[in-house]
Amino acid sequence: MNIPKLKNLDKNNFFLMAGSCAIENRDLAFEIAEKIKGITDQFGIPFIFKGSYRKANRTKLNSFTGIGDIPALEILKEVGEYYDLPTVTDIHESDEAAMAAPYVDVLQIPAFLCRQTDLLAAAAKTGKAVNIKKGQFMSGPSMGFAVEKVLHENPNAQVFLTDRGNSFGYGDLVVDYRNIPEMQAHGVPVVMDCTHSLQQPNQGTGVTGGKPQLIETIAKAAIAVGADGLFIETHPNPAIAKSDGANMLPLDKLEALLEKLVRVRQAIV
């Protein structure tokens, strides 16, 4: 893992990408980052703080999309500098790569956009690490082509892949754990997204549902299978989160979960 400011790499632990779905305001971002940093330092877990500066793939026209690109990116940069943490955010179009890169350490490609060649190339050209989320319609082996696109533009790029389940009918997802070793075969670290994989998308209400009570189940299984990292969205009060609250982990439950997951990891390595 060649990412600036990433700590605890000598602990032989999984790494964690975690934070709220979207950057809602400065105080909330700092509250979440401080809490997760304290927990991950305690358990020796490498930690990358996550926050989306804009939510571009909302179902309804009036859904929350962000507080403004640059204000949100400035908060991400401030969090990273204050806590000496790497940060990650999504980009959605090719011209956003160069805009976002100066503020964060990792650029994330959303699942629906994992086949967008120009977007992957633009992310690679920034020199930042690139996390590609596996499309809900993609297999693990087919994600090798996404890795190939990034490495074609930048052979030295740090790339990792994130599974977030596969479409199961019109309004549900199912996790196929075969995808973890199959994507690791591409020679990159593989992450399990423990919260988005529990979404229930495309609901008639226009608001995505979820099954957050299964986050621990998904996470334990991923670590047992050998995932290199976990992705968890968390919030002090998911019920009032402005984006994806239906499948987020309450922040006060994160410590107990990570303690269990570290024990699982220790049992298999």
Side-chain angles (χ1 to χ4, degrees):
M1 295 291 290
N2 183 25
I3 299 175
K5 299 184 287 187
L6 189 60
K7 310 292 195 309
N8 295 314
L9 289 173
D10 60 337
K11 305 299 184 182
N12 197 26
N13 239 328
F14 58 88
F15 67 94
L16 178 68
M17 305 172 70
S20 62
C21 179
I23 296 296
E24 299 182 20
N25 58 64
R26 181 184 182 277
D27 289 346
L28 180 63
F30 270 73
E31 176 186 354
I32 295 172
E34 182 171 357
K35 179 70 172 180
I36 304 175
K37 183 180 187 300
I39 297 169
T40 52
D41 283 349
Q42 174 187 346
F43 294 129
I45 299 172
F47 169 44
I48 303 170
F49 178 74
K50 185 268 173 183
S52 295
Y53 65 86
R54 188 200 317 159
K55 301 304 296 183
N57 57 338
R58 302 293 86 187
T59 301
K60 296 172 67 176
L61 182 62
N62 63 351
S63 295
F64 174 81
T65 58
I67 61 173
D69 292 355
I70 299 303
L73 285 167
E74 287 177 342
I75 290 171
L76 274 166
K77 184 176 182 180
E78 190 178 358
V79 167
E81 290 176 345
Y82 186 84
Y83 293 108
D84 196 27
L85 291 170
T87 56
V88 56
T89 197
D90 311 83
I91 57 173
H92 317 89
E93 298 185 33
S94 301
D95 59 358
E96 294 179 29
M99 176 190 72
Y103 296 91
V104 296
D105 303 284
V106 183
L107 296 175
Q108 182 166 281
I109 308 300
F112 286 132
L113 303 178
C114 68
R115 287 168 50 96
Q116 299 298 104
T117 302
D118 289 348
L119 179 60
L120 290 163
K125 288 175 182 176
T126 66
K128 299 293 184 176
V130 181
N131 179 35
I132 312 168
K133 286 201 166 184
K134 183 185 73 62
Q136 299 91 321
F137 44 87
M138 300 282 285
S139 69
S142 67
M143 287 301 294
F145 300 111
V147 175
E148 184 179 284
K149 290 175 183 180
V150 173
L151 295 180
H152 176 76
E153 294 296 333
N154 179 6
N156 298 316
Q158 169 71 70
V159 186
F160 39 100
L161 297 174
T162 296
D163 190 14
R164 44 111 0 116
N166 283 80
S167 296
F168 187 69
Y170 288 111
D172 206 357
L173 298 170
V174 64
V175 176
D176 180 353
Y177 286 96
R178 294 176 298 178
N179 284 319
I180 292 176
E182 287 175 346
M183 291 196 293
Q184 286 171 329
H186 302 310
V188 299
V190 172
V191 180
M192 184 72 234
D193 184 337
C194 304
T195 45
H196 289 102
S197 61
L198 292 167
Q199 282 183 335
Q200 293 178 303
N202 306 316
Q203 301 298 307
T205 61
V207 179
T208 296
K211 295 182 177 180
Q213 67 273 20
L214 293 175
I215 291 172
E216 182 174 322
T217 301
I218 296 293
K220 284 179 176 176
I223 295 301
V225 170
D228 301 287
L230 298 177
F231 181 106
I232 298 175
E233 287 189 343
T234 183
H235 192 284
N237 186 356
I240 63 170
K242 295 186 176 182
S243 179
D244 280 0
N247 51 266
M248 273 202 236
L249 180 74
L251 187 58
D252 62 5
K253 294 185 177 181
L254 182 63
E255 182 174 354
L257 173 61
L258 292 179
E259 183 177 10
K260 293 177 184 177
L261 297 176
V262 167
R263 293 204 303 269
V264 175
R265 170 76 176 186
Q266 291 170 345
I268 66 168
V269 297

